[in-house]
Structure formats: structure tokens, C-alpha cells
């Protein structure tokens, strides 16, 4: 990309943002590189700080979740571990790529939400769901419906895709 002399390179994929620091390019970039993970962390942090009784469930690919980038940054920023749950959604991104509104996708979302809800206290305070895979935003409504079904009340969806786009257009 640097051959095109961009002002900035945006990594819109959470998984690529997680592994980018391990690349040789990250040690000596010519162009400023911004990954979506930092936008997601800022979005989550902003909401958790303004709503002290709330919790967040971070949904991502297994690689994104295993990297713990979101979770570790939130802990560094003073968010208590008990307010954070992470769920690596195996094969969900690929299924969304092929057919985002299939029954398989819906079932996978329900299964992952069921697992995630078992990891965190959702009985008090607002619950935020951070869709930390670029693909998951396409199924926002499926996530919203499944979360409300499992938690029995509204859940606030946080979409780092939108946050990153807004940052680039309006900041």
C-alpha cells in the first residue's frame, strides 16, 4: 500500500489489527497505521466509564479474542475484570461472508451468546455487546435479537466499524 503514498493505512479487520504488531512492517512503517482495535477499545471504555454499573461482552474471532488486545487495554485503563467477558466465535466470520442471514449464522450467534452470557453477571446494570469482528456488524440485528432473548432486556450494541469510520470522516 505504501507504493501508493497514502496519508494513513487503516486496518479495518480486528484480527489483522491484533497480529499487525508482530509483523516486520510494524517495527518501521513509512506511513501511519491505525487499527480498528484501538477504536473498539476507546468505544468500549467510553461507554463503561460513563455507565459504572455496566458490563461488556466482546465478540470476535478466536484469534482476536485470544490476543486479548481489547481486554488488556481495558484493564490497563482501569476497567475491572469482572465487567468484561470475551467470546471467540469459531467460524462465524466465514459463515457471514458466505450467507450473512442464513439459519446457520443465526444458530451460531445464539450459541456464542449463550456461552458468553454464562461468563458474566448480566443481572444488574446495562450490558454492552462489542462486535469486534468487522463482519459481525452485518448481522447487528441478529445479535441484538439473540442478546435480548438470552438476557431478557435490551443490550446496547457497540460497533467499532462505525466508530472508525466516524473518526476518519469527522475528526
Amino acid at each position: 500500500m505504501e507504493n501508493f503514498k497514502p496519508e494513513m493505512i487503516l486496518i479495518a479487520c480486528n484480527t489483522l489489527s491484533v497480529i499487525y504488531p508482530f509483523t516486520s512492517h510494524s517495527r518501521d512503517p513509512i506511513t501511519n497505521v491505525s487499527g480498528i482495535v484501538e477504536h473498539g477499545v476507546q468505544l468500549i471504555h467510553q461507554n463503561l466509564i460513563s455507565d459504572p454499573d455496566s458490563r461488556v461482552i466482546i465478540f470476535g474471532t478466536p484469534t482476536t479474542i485470544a490476543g486479548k488486545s481489547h481486554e488488556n487495554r481495558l484493564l490497563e485503563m482501569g476497567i475491572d475484570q469482572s465487567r468484561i467477558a470475551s467470546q471467540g466465535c469459531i467460524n462465524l466470520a466465514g459463515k457471514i461472508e458466505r450467507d450473512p442471514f442464513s439459519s446457520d449464522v443465526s444458530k451460531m450467534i445464539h450459541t456464542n451468546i449463550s456461552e458468553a452470557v454464562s461468563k458474566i453477571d448480566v443481572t444488574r446494570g446495562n450490558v454492552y455487546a462489542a462486535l469486534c469482528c468487522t463482519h459481525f456488524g452485518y448481522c447487528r440485528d441478529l445479535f441484538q435479537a439473540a442478546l435480548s432473548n438470552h438476557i431478557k432486556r435490551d443490550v446496547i450494541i457497540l460497533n467499532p466499524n462505525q466508530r472508525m469510520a466516524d473518526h476518519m470522516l469527522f475528526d
Side-chain angles (χ1 to χ4, degrees):
M1 290 304 301
E2 288 183 333
N3 290 338
F4 296 103
K5 306 208 181 320
E7 291 179 31
M8 177 183 287
I9 296 174
L10 299 175
I11 302 175
C13 172
N14 285 271
T15 300
L16 291 178
S17 291
V18 167
I19 63 174
Y20 174 73
F22 301 104
T23 67
S24 58
H25 185 272
S26 72
R27 290 184 280 284
D28 193 26
I30 297 168
T31 305
N32 184 25
V33 176
S34 176
I36 195 168
V37 167
E38 191 57 34
H39 294 278
V41 168
Q42 291 170 9
L43 178 62
I44 296 165
H45 183 258
Q46 171 188 345
N47 282 278
L48 293 179
I49 288 298
S50 68
D51 190 356
D53 235 12
S54 63
R55 310 282 185 270
V56 66
I57 302 171
I58 301 169
F59 293 95
T61 65
T63 301
T64 296
I65 298 305
K68 294 187 174 238
S69 296
H70 296 86
E71 187 173 332
N72 288 339
R73 285 282 295 125
L74 291 166
L75 294 171
E76 289 168 10
M77 298 167 90
I79 301 299
D80 190 88
Q81 178 70 55
S82 66
R83 298 178 67 197
I84 305 168
S86 297
Q87 181 65 33
C89 304
I90 298 170
N91 297 323
L92 182 56
K95 290 278 187 188
I96 291 170
E97 281 180 11
R98 289 183 287 287
D99 190 359
F101 306 109
S102 70
S103 62
D104 285 346
V105 168
S106 183
K107 287 176 193 170
M108 291 173 83
I109 289 171
H110 277 275
T111 298
N112 279 287
I113 288 170
S114 181
E115 287 179 31
V117 168
S118 72
K119 298 176 185 178
I120 195 166
D121 177 9
V122 296
T123 60
R124 60 187 177 90
N126 287 319
V127 177
Y128 293 93
L131 304 183
C132 294
C133 171
T134 307
H135 294 75
F136 294 178
Y138 294 110
C139 297
R140 180 189 195 289
D141 292 343
L142 293 174
F143 271 93
Q144 185 76 63
L147 284 158
S148 295
N149 184 47
H150 284 276
I151 297 177
K152 305 298 183 214
R153 57 193 166 96
D154 286 339
V155 174
I156 302 150
I157 301 285
L158 303 177
N159 188 344
N161 301 349
Q162 189 62 52
R163 165 74 181 232
M164 185 177 200
D166 289 347
H167 174 74
M168 296 313 302
L169 293 172
F170 303 116
D171 286 352

